[in-house]
Amino acid sequence: MRPASRSSRCEGRTAATASAAGPAPLIFTQAEALGLVMAVLDGHHAAGDTTDPVGSALGKIVRVLPESLGAQVEAVRRTAAPAPDPAAARPDPEITSRLVQACAQNLVVRVSYRSEAGNEWTTGADPWAIVVRHGRWYLLCHSHSAGARRAYRIDRVTAVEVLADPFLPPSELDPIAVLDEHLATGWEYRTEILIEAPPEQAAAMAGPALGTLSPGPEPGTTLLTGSTSSPYWYARQLPAISVPYRILGGPELREAARRIAGRMLAATRTEDAAGPE
């Protein structure tokens, strides 16, 4: 596979051919090439490893993209978590392509978004980076309407418009660290968990995406506080805490935990349909 000419790159198309005497070149639009990259990242754990055959092939596709777009796609590939979630919804390649290009060119976007709770809104945003974590694609950005940092799941972005307005991204941005820190803040439903273990022990069981850890009201306890757009998803993470804990809030999280616990309890019940011998 060899790079396309600069003119074809500017037109947003890429080409690959095995040799001059080989088969006709394969032509990809930018959205198609990015869609292929997305599919590989979703299903192959070693996609970021350049020594792996699939990772090596993926690198060749990235190299024939326009320079600015290829750099962003390569950054996405490097930050992808090696734990794809088969239940996660993959975002639309066209929307993702526009967001990747806006990140590469430091251009403001107008994003329409629908949360898991069904709330919809449109906001201007400075798109800093796209990060793949645990099988989900996130746009890390500065939201103009909120006046604050936000991380939007791209599969919930319903429309995006790339504007002509430039922006200056934060210096020395670490997208992975910032995303992990942000995933527990700024969402609709608050969460508060009292863990019966000191903070240093609780930190090994509750990752930064669940919230902030602080000393609890009693010695040897920890308070985990955060927020989520999906109480059901949040409740499913809590059994990983291997010490006793209590859900103090909010009501949506407690209800989600009750539903999950009820389903698990029902699954353990057995009846001897044949009756006693």
Side-chain angles (χ1 to χ4, degrees), residues 18 27 39 54 60-62 76-77 129 175 198 214:
I27 306 298
V54 173
K60 293 178 181 179
I61 294 175
V62 171
V76 168
R77 182 167 75 131
S214 60

Side-chain angles (χ1 to χ4, degrees), residues 25-270:
L26 296 174
I27 306 298
F28 300 98
T29 65
Q30 290 183 8
E32 288 170 341
L34 182 59
L36 184 56
V37 171
M38 292 165 63
V40 173
L41 288 174
D42 278 347
H44 192 73
H45 286 220
D49 183 0
T50 57
T51 64
D52 177 82
V54 173
S56 175
L58 188 62
K60 293 178 181 179
I61 294 175
V62 171
R63 285 195 292 274
V64 299
L65 293 171
E67 287 88 345
S68 60
L69 181 60
Q72 276 291 319
V73 173
E74 179 62 22
V76 168
R77 182 167 75 131
R78 288 196 306 270
T79 59
D85 181 354
R90 192 155 61 87
D92 180 88
E94 289 285 352
I95 286 177
T96 309
S97 178
R98 295 190 197 108
L99 291 173
V100 168
Q101 197 156 16
C103 290
Q105 298 175 355
N106 293 341
L107 292 176
V108 172
V109 294
R110 182 177 292 113
V111 172
S112 297
Y113 193 81
R114 181 186 298 113
S115 73
E116 184 168 334
N119 301 320
E120 298 186 29
W121 66 86
T122 298
T123 181
D126 300 345
W128 294 345
I130 290 176
V131 184
V132 185
R133 297 299 277 171
H134 309 296
R136 288 184 172 86
W137 293 67
Y138 294 93
L139 170 67
L140 184 62
C141 66
H142 176 81
S143 167
H144 296 180
S145 59
R149 179 183 65 196
R150 289 291 183 265
Y152 296 129
R153 273 181 51 176
I154 300 179
D155 61 284
R156 293 180 183 156
V157 174
T158 59
V160 60
E161 179 184 358
V162 180
L163 307 180
D165 305 325
F167 70 92
L168 186 64
S171 60
E172 301 181 359
L173 175 69
D174 183 341
I176 299 176
V178 172
L179 179 66
D180 283 344
E181 175 188 343
H182 179 79
L183 283 179
T185 61
W187 303 105
E188 295 101 314
Y189 306 109
R190 70 179 185 88
T191 61
E192 188 175 31
I193 314 295
L194 181 64
I195 303 173
E196 294 185 14
E200 59 272 15
Q201 183 181 350
M205 297 178 282
L210 292 183
T212 302
L213 299 173
S214 60
E218 301 293 335
T221 64
T222 299
L223 203 59
L224 171 62
T225 56
S227 65
T228 181
S229 65
S230 174
Y232 193 81
W233 173 88
Y234 195 101
R236 286 192 292 136
Q237 315 309 308
L238 296 180
I241 301 175
S242 58
V243 298
Y245 63 88
R246 284 187 291 137
I247 300 175
L248 304 180
E252 297 85 3
L253 177 60
R254 288 198 297 268
E255 176 59 26
R258 289 190 191 101
R259 289 171 53 199
I260 293 173
R263 292 183 59 190
M264 295 181 69
L265 183 60
T268 65
R269 294 180 182 139
T270 58

